[in-house]
Amino acid sequence: MECISIFDMLKIGVGPSSSHTLGPWRAGRRWISELKEKNNFESVSAITIDLYGSLSLTGKGHATDIAVILGLCGYDPQTIDVSKITTIIDTIKASKELNFNNELLVSFDPLSQIIFNKEFKEFHPNGMTFHATLKNGKKISSSFYSIGGGFVVKEERKRKEKKLEKFQDFPLPIQKATDLLEYCNAKNKNVSEIVLENERSLRSDVEIDERIAQVWNVMLASMYTGCHTEGTLPGGLNVRRRAFDTHKKLIGDTAYKNPTEWIEAIRNTEVKFRQILKWVSCFALAVNEVNASLGRVVTAPTNGSAGVIPAVMMYYMVIENHDANFEDVKKFMLVAGEIGSLFKKGATISAAMGGCQAEIGVSSAMAAGALTELMGGTPAQVLMASEIAMEHHLGLTCDPIGGLVQIPCIERNAMGAIKAINACEMALDTDAANAKVPLDKVIETMWETAQDMNTKYKETSEGGLAVKVSLSDC
């Protein structure tokens, strides 16, 4: 049992991967805190990092080495100027010095002191161990695990008791979809209203609104940036950015100066059926092209699936309801965050544990449920839409070519967004009382599927498209 806030599911960070980039980045910062708590920080004279399993096999393509370095330098993934990342890393490589937490210069050569180990640690596929040599010659180490969505844990789960305590402090503790539906029925409230009650036990209404606004602003900025940036993505696959060309064809010569005016411009554009599909795909592609180039995005619930939720929210704003405002965004994020937390509690949101069904599948389910509430669906229909979306992602593998979060990851966000909208429409046209597959059952099935899935299809680049197409082919 865990108390999971929607802001645990929707984190602001830097691409391309929540488990391989944001998680290791946050782990580096946590290790610094550990060293300081034990009064060892000032005594550090040398550092090495061991990366294991999936973090090693696809770590370079996912910028895990870069993320670890930035975390050890003390940078905050929410606020770092992403345009300076390349310069920071190049300086460290050239000088072979790292400014540890921006306080202490230590000699550091990334090529020899970040070690990629192919073996897997038993606790989780995304394992890493930080080693420090102190000035007195003593060697100390600490291991962390990036379990998806930017969540980082220690194997012993020291925070488990505290988490359980917090969970029990929630006025409406929710572990399964049936719990959520029971609260909705008993209180005659929508899903978003139930989730808001729990969020209010953690923070004030003002803070909730401020943080949701921050999340949406980053989502909107990533869509806007992606739609207005052309060229080729980094990494060696030579993937051309497609959102720019698609957007240019769709928007035409319409004038605007900022993201707010951009939304109005799209609303005023005559949109036909095929163009709706193109707009939704364009929004999703834009976000994940930004993600693939170490840009700022929101984990939703992961970086690799960051494009689905903003694309579907934008669809509602520019296609379904031109009067949509912040209150609609708020409801959407509350519902989406809660649906995501159900999957984290009952299954996984880590591709290294469950394949891409754990990322695109979950994000599509989150978006489908959230859109259904905005479209006037009942709580039962919200859960049904989420179930439909996940049901048709079951078994989806994670096989990134070259270990990069580009092919097939970027396109999958567009597909996940379209499926979410379709799932919403099907749920709205159905009496949810007659649903044959409850959401809890599809979550259980997803976890069983994850456990049965061959490891080579779990973010290792050792199976599927990753071995059929190589960097040299591109």
Side-chain angles (χ1 to χ4, degrees), residues 16 53 169 205 223 259 276 358 377 422 448 454:
D169 284 342
D205 280 343
M223 285 187 283
I276 293 174
N422 198 17
E448 290 172 2
N454 192 300

Side-chain angles (χ1 to χ4, degrees), residues 253-462:
D253 297 324
T254 308
Y256 51 88
K257 297 177 182 177
N258 54 52
T260 302
E261 290 185 10
W262 181 52
I263 290 175
E264 288 305 314
I266 299 171
R267 284 172 171 169
N268 294 329
T269 302
E270 185 181 354
V271 179
K272 299 176 182 177
F273 174 71
R274 283 188 65 206
Q275 290 173 318
I276 293 174
L277 298 178
K278 288 182 178 181
W279 270 119
V280 174
S281 295
C282 182
F283 297 143
L285 293 174
V287 174
N288 285 83
E289 287 173 357
V290 169
N291 179 64
S293 54
L294 274 79
R296 180 162 285 112
V297 296
V298 176
T299 65
T302 67
N303 282 30
S305 60
V308 177
I309 285 174
V312 175
M313 182 66 234
M314 193 71 159
Y315 160 81
Y316 180 77
M317 296 183 82
V318 301
I319 304 296
E320 291 290 351
N321 181 7
H322 287 191
D323 295 321
N325 55 29
F326 175 74
E327 283 305 310
D328 295 297
V329 172
K330 181 177 178 178
K331 289 178 183 177
F332 191 95
M333 298 305 166
L334 287 166
V335 176
E338 185 62 33
I339 297 297
S341 76
L342 292 175
F343 280 94
K344 185 179 184 305
K345 293 168 187 172
T348 181
I349 57 170
S350 167
M353 288 290 284
C356 199
Q357 61 174 354
E359 297 202 19
I360 295 296
V362 174
S363 65
S364 188
M366 292 166 70
L371 180 62
T372 301
E373 174 157 320
L374 292 190
M375 295 288 285
T378 65
Q381 288 173 321
V382 167
L383 300 183
M384 184 180 190
S386 297
E387 181 278 318
I388 292 171
M390 172 50 78
E391 184 179 328
H392 301 289
H393 282 94
L394 287 173
L396 188 61
T397 60
C398 180
D399 50 354
I401 296 173
L404 298 163
V405 192
Q406 296 180 20
I407 302 174
C409 320
I410 296 173
E411 287 182 353
R412 281 183 178 170
N413 279 264
M415 300 302 291
I418 297 296
K419 282 187 180 181
I421 295 168
N422 198 17
C424 165
E425 293 297 337
M426 286 193 282
L428 289 173
D429 287 341
T430 305
D431 181 357
N434 295 324
K436 302 298 182 184
V437 183
L439 178 56
D440 286 330
K441 292 298 181 183
V442 87
I443 293 174
E444 290 174 17
T445 302
M446 180 203 144
W447 181 230
E448 290 172 2
T449 304
Q451 291 173 306
D452 290 340
M453 188 181 289
N454 192 300
T455 301
K456 68 183 181 181
Y457 298 117
K458 297 180 181 180
E459 209 168 5
T460 63
S461 287
E462 293 186 328

Side-chain angles (χ1 to χ4, degrees), residues 85-145:
I85 289 177
T86 299
T87 301
I88 293 167
I89 299 301
D90 287 347
T91 299
I92 292 169
K93 287 180 178 178
S95 66
K96 292 183 171 49
E97 280 189 326
L98 182 147
N99 196 354
F100 198 23
N101 200 40
N102 200 29
E103 296 178 54
L104 180 69
L105 274 177
V106 296
S107 61
F108 186 78
D109 182 357
L111 292 178
S112 61
Q113 288 169 257
I114 298 179
I115 303 160
F116 292 84
N117 303 278
K118 290 187 177 181
E119 63 265 28
F120 286 72
K121 280 183 170 285
E122 187 175 343
F123 183 73
H124 192 278
N126 292 333
M128 72 203 93
T129 301
F130 296 90
H131 306 275
T133 301
L134 305 185
K135 292 174 183 176
N136 62 7
K138 182 180 178 182
K139 297 181 184 296
I140 57 175
S141 63
S142 185
S143 294
F144 297 88
Y145 299 86

Side-chain angles (χ1 to χ4, degrees), residues 1-5 8-9 147 151-153 157 159-170 172-176 198 338 341-347:
M1 287 189 180
E2 285 185 289
C3 158
I4 299 178
S5 163
D8 290 325
M9 303 304 302
I147 61 172
F151 287 86
V152 177
V153 299
R157 298 301 296 269
R159 296 171 63 213
K160 185 176 179 182
E161 196 172 312
K162 185 178 178 183
K163 282 273 189 183
L164 181 57
E165 221 171 84
K166 274 182 151 184
F167 181 92
Q168 292 172 333
D169 284 342
F170 256 7
L172 305 170
I174 296 165
Q175 186 69 11
K176 294 189 174 184
N198 282 337
E338 185 62 33
S341 76
L342 292 175
F343 280 94
K344 185 179 184 305
K345 293 168 187 172

